[in-house]
Amino acid sequence: MAARIIDGKAVAAAVRERVAGEVAELGERGIVPGLATVLVGDDPASAVYVRMKREDCAQVGIESFHHAPGGDIAQEDLAALISELNADPRVHGILLQLPLPGQLDQDTLIPLIDRVKDVDGLTPANAGLLAQGRPEALVPCTPAGVMELLDHAGVELSGARVAVLGRSILVGKPVAALLLAADATVTHCHSRTRDLAAVCRESDVVVAAVGRPGTVTADMVREGAVVIDVGTNRTDDGLVGDVDYEPVAERAAAITPVPGGVGPMTRAMLLVNTVRAARLQHGA
């Protein structure tokens, strides 16, 4: 039997509807959540991503404040802009679009974002809170979206065996922390993992986030497993994930497609984080 498709577009739409309701409720209390987007330079893909995020904000009633400094901006000037946004009471979330031009050091700039305005969840402060399982952590959007999809699919994580493939600070490490917090038994895999196929075959859930097409093949997935494909790889055949989709879908109980799976959730969870940041800052 072919796998049930976990439709990220449908789940993201439900999340946006929920967020719109929260924004309306905050509005009745005089609180208008605001997101500042910072797009440095003229990278076309980054420009599209930021435009879509601002459109998402408008759809649910979040105010957006866009800043587009030139690609030649100096490190200290971008740091000063971040400081201004930290101090602006209208701004509850700050999105510094990555990657940055080569002359800028993102590892120095990201920690300058106020922890409670870090809607990407990338500051060391939020990463540390997440690692400690603290509820006030703002969580990176893609891992938060993975958890939302698993919940929507009705996956019982408590006691489940989960293989996480990839150890990036954007997805692999935070999603492993979230799964542990949900009482899953997590095996965290990477490029040096021995006998990766055997680890995956023993897992109830496989989360693939390595950025390499065809990493997860059908022989690596046991019958009835749930497969979450975080990969987005551009190939001559179009956009594909990290999972060999059609053969794996014949074995899995449920699977996310690429595109249309995790991708829409990343944008939706940015809205969730912005509203959550507004609540944190207003004690609401």
Side-chain angles (χ1 to χ4, degrees), residues 197 200-201 206 216-223 225 227 248 251-252:
C200 291
R201 279 195 296 269
V206 176
V216 178
T217 55
D219 66 304
M220 297 170 64
V221 177
R222 70 169 183 78
E223 292 280 352
V227 179
V248 170
R251 296 180 61 82

Side-chain angles (χ1 to χ4, degrees), residues 44-56:
S46 291
V48 170
Y49 294 151
V50 170
R51 176 179 56 78
M52 291 192 298
K53 291 167 184 176
R54 296 182 68 207
E55 290 172 354
D56 291 341

Side-chain angles (χ1 to χ4, degrees), residues 59-244:
Q59 182 181 350
V60 300
I62 293 174
E63 191 170 3
S64 63
F65 307 93
H66 186 53
H67 299 266
D72 59 351
I73 188 172
Q75 179 95 359
E76 58 268 25
D77 293 332
L78 187 52
L81 173 58
I82 292 172
S83 180
E84 291 172 13
L85 296 175
N86 283 336
D88 190 338
R90 302 171 303 163
V91 173
H92 300 102
I94 299 171
L95 172 69
L96 179 62
Q97 181 65 38
L98 304 176
L100 297 172
Q103 83 276 11
L104 300 172
D105 180 10
Q106 70 181 44
D107 292 338
T108 300
L109 290 163
I110 289 172
L112 300 179
I113 299 172
D114 190 326
R115 185 197 73 75
V116 294
K117 296 191 176 187
D118 171 30
V119 289
D120 262 340
L122 294 180
T123 60
N126 274 318
L129 289 169
L130 175 59
Q132 292 181 355
R134 298 274 291 275
E136 64 267 37
L138 285 170
V139 177
C141 299
T142 299
V146 169
M147 299 302 289
E148 190 83 21
L149 288 172
L150 288 168
D151 181 67
H152 172 80
V155 178
E156 177 55 62
L157 290 173
S158 181
R161 296 165 299 178
V162 182
V164 175
L165 282 58
R167 52 182 168 177
S168 73
I169 62 170
L170 292 173
V171 181
K173 289 180 179 178
V175 83
L178 289 169
L179 288 161
L180 283 169
D183 296 325
T185 299
V186 179
T187 303
H188 204 160
C189 307
H190 46 79
S191 59
R192 303 299 174 87
T193 299
R194 295 178 181 174
D195 204 355
L196 177 62
V199 174
C200 291
R201 279 195 296 269
E202 294 174 355
S203 301
D204 305 301
V205 179
V206 176
V207 179
V210 295
R212 190 170 65 246
T215 297
V216 178
T217 55
D219 66 304
M220 297 170 64
V221 177
R222 70 169 183 78
E223 292 280 352
V226 175
V227 179
I228 304 293
D229 191 351
V230 185
T232 52
N233 308 291
R234 298 192 181 280
T235 70
D236 293 340
D237 297 323
L239 194 66
V240 300
D242 293 343
V243 175
D244 189 9

